[in-house]
Amino acid sequence: MNVGDNVGDVAGIGSDLFGSFAEATCAALVIGNSIGLTGGWDAMVFPVVVSAVGIVVCMLCSFIATHISPVKSEAGVETALKVQLISTTVLMIPSVILAAKAFLPNSFDLKATVGNDMVTLTPIEAALCVIMGAIGGLTIGLITEYYTSHTYKPVRELADACKTGAATNMIYGIALGYKSVIIPVIVLASVIYGSFSLCDMYGVSLAAIGFLSNLATGLTIDVYGPVCDNAGGIAEMAELEPYVRDKTDALDAAGNTTAAIGKGFAIGSAALVSLALFGAFVTRIRNASAEAGAEELFLNGVNMLEPLTFAFLIIGGMIPFAFAAMTMKSVGLAAMEMVMEVQRQFDEKPHLLDENPTERPDYDACIAISTKASLREMVPPATMVILTPLLTGIFFGVNAVSGLLVGSLIASVQLAISMSNSGGAWDNAKKYIEKAAPDSELEGKGSEIHKAAVVGDTVGDPFKDTSGPALNIVMKLMAVLSLVFADTFYAFNSGGGIFNL
């Protein structure tokens, strides 16, 4: 369990966030490739400069938690982690403005994504795009905390729903996840509109970098959760005093919230990165058609009312649901195998259930089941995500790929946020009930109310740890592959595909 938590929560979300960071930077460099002609090398590498500034800001703000205002009680843990996130975002604002004035010329030109016009930009406009991203990321993080922390009303209402059984818990938890999508999507839409209006698609890529500008702090508070969870698991297996487990549970509850905040950052940044990569794809197709001396594709943007584009818009919206279904079913199959293996060991070695067992369980068999299942079951969904844009581009052309990418992006964002927040809320509702006294309304651990909460938490684990975060990869990977193979797609009937519809 502890190894699995480390792999899933630390390595998984870490690689996702770092992947978004690298892809946002690449998208900014591809879209802004013409900036170097008028602004010089310093202007060209401005996206990388923002990343460097973010690392310094996060290092400075770390002293708030270690020296200026250290944690003195359990109640202060969540506040301290939140202060880290807010302080890095606030300090990034003047830092980015200074970096923009230092590295960017007074004005520089950028070729518009739509049309042949040149857009003239200023350092303040570029800095504002980064700042909008940073503030948007913080807002989504705090909204995620509101919907997943048992400090606030939604999770406490979810815990109350367990009084009438697992069914009402499930209904309320799914509704909570859907409701938690509203504000983050409005924030994302506002950031996209504002940054595009200021700096065209280059502004969207800068906003994506701004979203992750305090990545060092975001990843730190995200990893905090599984570290505390593992500490609690070790305390339980080592049969330490109950108060030790109580302490680790209190820390883990704060960690669950910060992990949900990290997932919120990952999903929001993945949406902006995917849009920026889509812009880079459009730019690359335009350049390819111009270099071939043919009619310039996407000169006036992507027309979503073209039959082929609209048809693949619908297909793109289906991809995240198919992917989520495959990954959740995989978790169920692996869990069934694990349960059967544990039952087999109990049947063959009944003394394992003794208070002081004399026999040792076969841990290797359980580890082998989870490891093999994780590799085997990821082949079909990964193949679908990789082959869909490639086959679409080769057979149906670049207009179909455009619809596919947009549909996938729109559906993935909504589904990823709702699944991650539902799972986080179910987990913390269970922990909130476990903290309650046996004579209270929630009746505490071991009660029927607690059993209903455990059902929600069991369903929530694949929601928040498997399918939800994995949808970030779906939208980013499809966009990256489309960008990489853009020239290949154009090679088939000048972007019309083999079928040339």
Side-chain angles (χ1 to χ4, degrees):
M1 178 189 74
N2 290 325
V3 174
D5 273 350
N6 265 328
V7 172
D9 292 341
V10 180
I13 202 72
S15 60
D16 186 11
L17 286 167
F18 276 117
S20 291
F21 206 25
E23 286 151 0
T25 306
C26 289
L29 294 173
V30 171
I31 295 167
N33 63 77
S34 62
I35 288 175
L37 299 174
T38 57
W41 177 252
D42 288 353
M44 183 79 177
V45 297
F46 178 66
V48 182
V49 171
V50 174
S51 307
V53 168
I55 293 170
V56 174
V57 166
C58 291
M59 286 176 63
L60 292 174
C61 288
S62 66
F63 289 107
I64 296 174
T66 57
H67 291 77
I68 299 172
S69 180
V71 178
K72 295 178 181 176
S73 65
E74 288 178 16
V77 174
E78 205 168 307
T79 303
L81 295 170
K82 203 190 307 181
V83 166
Q84 284 290 296
L85 206 57
I86 295 170
S87 61
T88 50
T89 304
V90 170
L91 192 55
M92 274 301 295
I93 294 173
S95 303
V96 167
I97 293 172
L98 291 173
K101 288 186 174 180
F103 283 86
L104 296 174
N106 292 331
S107 66
F108 55 99
D109 295 330
L110 174 73
K111 189 176 180 182
T113 307
V114 179
N116 282 321
D117 296 336
M118 295 298 287
V119 182
T120 302
L121 309 177
T122 63
I124 291 297
E125 288 172 339
L128 281 174
C129 292
V130 178
I131 291 166
M132 277 192 279
I135 294 173
L138 176 64
T139 306
I140 289 177
L142 295 178
I143 292 298
T144 303
E145 183 202 20
Y146 174 74
Y147 279 103
T148 57
S149 171
H150 58 55
T151 307
Y152 302 103
K153 186 178 177 183
V155 171
R156 295 192 176 193
E157 287 182 347
L158 184 59
D160 285 336
C162 295
K163 293 177 183 175
T164 48
T168 47
N169 179 30
M170 298 300 302
I171 292 167
Y172 197 98
I174 292 170
L176 182 151
Y178 290 159
K179 191 177 179 183
S180 71
V181 172
I182 299 170
I183 297 176
V185 166
I186 292 172
V187 169
L188 280 171
S190 303
V191 170
I192 290 166
Y193 178 80
S195 57
F196 193 97
S197 299
L198 285 174
C199 297
D200 205 78
M201 193 59 82
Y202 182 66
V204 176
S205 61
L206 288 180
I209 294 170
F211 229 93
L212 294 166
S213 56
N214 55 354
L215 173 65
T217 295
L219 198 56
T220 299
I221 66 171
D222 184 69
V223 170
Y224 168 87
V227 169
C228 295
D229 198 7
N230 288 344
I234 292 167
E236 191 168 16
M237 288 188 294
E239 298 181 358
L240 298 179
E241 295 296 324
Y243 76 88
V244 177
R245 182 65 188 177
D246 292 341
K247 293 284 185 186
T248 57
D249 280 348
L251 297 173
D252 184 36
N256 268 339
T257 303
T258 58
I261 291 173
K263 290 182 177 74
F265 264 91
I267 295 164
S269 64
L272 289 178
V273 167
S274 300
L275 185 58
L277 289 167
F278 175 63
F281 169 74
V282 170
T283 301
R284 189 72 206 101
I285 293 295
R286 284 190 62 183
N287 292 343
S289 56
E291 289 165 8
E295 180 185 353
E296 192 171 327
L297 292 175
F298 299 144
L299 176 62
N300 296 314
V302 177
N303 184 3
M304 284 296 164
L305 292 179
E306 283 192 9
L308 192 64
T309 309
F310 193 81
F312 275 87
L313 178 75
I314 305 298
I315 292 172
M318 169 273 296
I319 297 294
F321 291 91
F323 183 89
M326 288 180 179
T327 50
M328 282 195 289
K329 186 179 178 183
S330 297
V331 172
L333 290 171
M336 285 168 60
E337 284 185 49
M338 189 75 75
V339 169
M340 297 300 289
E341 172 59 25
V342 172
Q343 185 61 53
R344 181 191 68 79
Q345 292 193 32
F346 284 154
D347 292 341
E348 292 180 3
K349 302 177 182 178
H351 293 294
L352 288 174
L353 294 170
D354 293 347
E355 188 174 346
N356 295 303
T358 54
E359 295 179 282
R360 180 180 172 82
D362 185 2
Y363 298 115
D364 291 344
C366 294
I367 293 170
I369 287 171
S370 59
T371 307
K372 289 176 182 176
S374 65
L375 296 172
R376 182 184 68 245
E377 295 295 332
M378 274 311 296
V379 173
T383 303
M384 179 188 71
V385 172
I386 292 169
L387 291 183
T388 302
L390 297 183
L391 295 177
T392 300
I394 291 169
F395 287 99
F396 297 96
V398 294
N399 283 320
V401 173
S402 300
L404 186 79
L405 294 180
V406 173
S408 171
L409 167 61
I410 292 169
S412 292
V413 172
Q414 329 277 341
L415 193 59
I417 294 173
S418 65
M419 293 181 84
S420 291
N421 289 350
S422 287
W426 274 319
D427 194 351
N428 274 345
K430 183 196 73 171
K431 284 186 168 59
Y432 183 64
I433 291 169
E434 287 174 348
K435 284 172 61 179
D439 56 349
S440 66
E441 279 188 26
L442 296 176
E443 298 177 7
K445 196 169 185 176
S447 64
E448 290 300 315
I449 296 174
H450 179 246
K451 289 176 184 176
V454 169
V455 172
D457 183 36
T458 306
V459 175
D461 275 342
F463 266 52
K464 70 181 174 67
D465 293 330
T466 306
S467 299
L471 289 170
N472 303 341
I473 310 298
V474 172
M475 45 183 158
K476 288 189 297 184
L477 185 57
M478 290 177 70
V480 167
L481 284 168
S482 300
L483 174 59
V484 171
F485 287 91
D487 288 344
T488 305
F489 299 157
Y490 185 78
F492 291 94
N493 289 321
S494 300
I498 290 174
F499 295 150
N500 201 20
L501 297 177

